[in-house]
Amino acid sequence: MFDFFSVLIPFLLIHTICDFYLQTDRWVEAKKARTYRSPELYLHATLQGVALLVPAMALGIDWRSTVCLIVIVAVSHFIIDLWKVTTPKGDKLAYFVIDQALHVSVLAAIAFHVADGASIDAVLQHERFSDGVLVVFAYVLILKPTSIVIGAVLNKYPIVNSAIDTDTDAVTDTDGVAVPVSDKTANVSGLVAGGELIGYLERLLILTFMLVGSYAAVGFVLAAKSIFRFGELNQSANRSMTEYVLIGSLISVVITTLIGALVSLGVGIKFK
């Protein structure tokens, strides 16, 4: 009798080892250069399937199911990898995420089929299903929607003599908020979209620490960000930029903290 996660986790372990540790850079470049004519593409796909013999034997899956498992994973991995290497700009982060999501989805579907007693109704009726949906909703809410809210609040406070985005004539702060600037002669500095990523990571960390009850770690995140930003703001002669960063950061923290507190109460996490 198999549990869904007891099947999925070994499958994911094998996938990770084969995709990131046993696949060399030479294989990756060969697949990009020769696509479907590359022996490395066929070898890699076959390895992904055959390697699943290890967890299949450990779990005691019957041989018919094991053969089907190997064939499905090898063929699906070949098709997905072929799509990626034949797609223009397939080495972009978005394509990597899609590629891995497709591989994981195939393994999850197989694990769902192999697991005894697993069904859509069983998942929907699970006592923790609503808690899981609430947590996922919280993570979705703190990313783009929160950035839009912060941008709406700060939109009436233009920044003078600040780094601008040459495409949008706007500043992107550490929370990923684009705000119009009044001086278009300012110099551009910093990573493109770097502020957005920093804001996302900050909110993800704060919410995660709140959900696991590690509130001291939340303070550590805020202190670390303050230390890194102190030098830049201390040397800046632009007071509006300093105020902008502080207000944007505080709004970001307040929203994430409130969402984290509400979700913690919803799922029954006790405050310490």
Side-chain angles (χ1 to χ4, degrees), residues 83-130:
W83 162 79
K84 184 181 178 184
V85 298
T86 55
T87 301
K89 299 182 179 179
D91 55 347
K92 296 287 187 179
L93 177 61
Y95 289 99
F96 170 79
V97 173
I98 295 173
D99 169 73
Q100 293 302 314
L102 291 173
H103 290 317
V104 172
S105 297
V106 171
L107 295 176
I110 294 174
F112 191 82
H113 176 74
V114 172
D116 295 328
S119 66
I120 298 297
D121 290 337
V123 173
L124 295 177
Q125 295 174 6
H126 194 277
E127 59 181 3
R128 306 299 292 181
F129 177 75
S130 59

Side-chain angles (χ1 to χ4, degrees), residues 204-222:
L204 286 172
L205 287 173
I206 292 175
L207 180 59
T208 300
F209 288 142
M210 289 197 68
L211 292 179
V212 299
S214 183
Y215 305 107
V218 175
F220 173 78
V221 172
L222 298 178

Side-chain angles (χ1 to χ4, degrees), residues 125-142:
Q125 295 174 6
H126 194 277
E127 59 181 3
R128 306 299 292 181
F129 177 75
S130 59
D131 292 345
V133 173
L134 184 59
V135 170
V136 172
F137 175 65
Y139 277 104
V140 172
L141 199 60
I142 65 170

Side-chain angles (χ1 to χ4, degrees), residues 63-263:
W63 69 270
R64 291 185 181 86
S65 298
T66 300
V67 172
C68 292
L69 166 67
I70 293 173
V71 173
I72 292 173
V73 171
V75 172
S76 64
H77 206 96
F78 174 84
I79 295 173
I80 294 170
D81 276 16
L82 180 61
W83 162 79
K84 184 181 178 184
V85 298
T86 55
T87 301
K89 299 182 179 179
D91 55 347
K92 296 287 187 179
L93 177 61
Y95 289 99
F96 170 79
V97 173
I98 295 173
D99 169 73
Q100 293 302 314
L102 291 173
H103 290 317
V104 172
S105 297
V106 171
L107 295 176
I110 294 174
F112 191 82
H113 176 74
V114 172
D116 295 328
S119 66
I120 298 297
D121 290 337
V123 173
L124 295 177
Q125 295 174 6
H126 194 277
E127 59 181 3
R128 306 299 292 181
F129 177 75
S130 59
D131 292 345
V133 173
L134 184 59
V135 170
V136 172
F137 175 65
Y139 277 104
V140 172
L141 199 60
I142 65 170
L143 298 177
K144 194 66 175 181
T146 298
S147 290
I148 294 175
V149 171
I150 299 172
V153 173
L154 296 180
N155 193 49
K156 62 179 180 179
Y157 301 110
I159 299 177
V160 180
N161 288 328
S162 297
I164 63 172
D165 185 319
T166 55
D167 294 326
T168 61
D169 289 332
V171 173
T172 301
D173 83 326
T174 54
D175 299 296
V177 180
V179 178
V181 297
S182 59
D183 184 1
K184 294 185 179 181
T185 62
N187 295 323
V188 177
S189 63
L191 297 176
V192 177
E196 182 178 13
L197 179 58
I198 292 173
Y200 283 177
L201 293 175
E202 175 192 272
R203 292 196 286 272
L204 286 172
L205 287 173
I206 292 175
L207 180 59
T208 300
F209 288 142
M210 289 197 68
L211 292 179
V212 299
S214 183
Y215 305 107
V218 175
F220 173 78
V221 172
L222 298 178
K225 179 180 179 180
S226 299
I227 292 173
F228 282 115
R229 295 293 297 185
F230 176 79
E232 177 183 343
L233 297 179
N234 189 47
Q235 296 174 7
S236 175
N238 192 339
R239 179 177 176 181
S240 62
M241 181 60 180
T242 302
E243 293 175 344
Y244 167 73
V245 172
L246 292 176
I247 294 174
S249 296
L250 288 175
I251 295 175
S252 174
V253 171
V254 168
I255 292 176
T256 309
T257 302
L258 289 176
I259 292 175
L262 292 174
V263 173

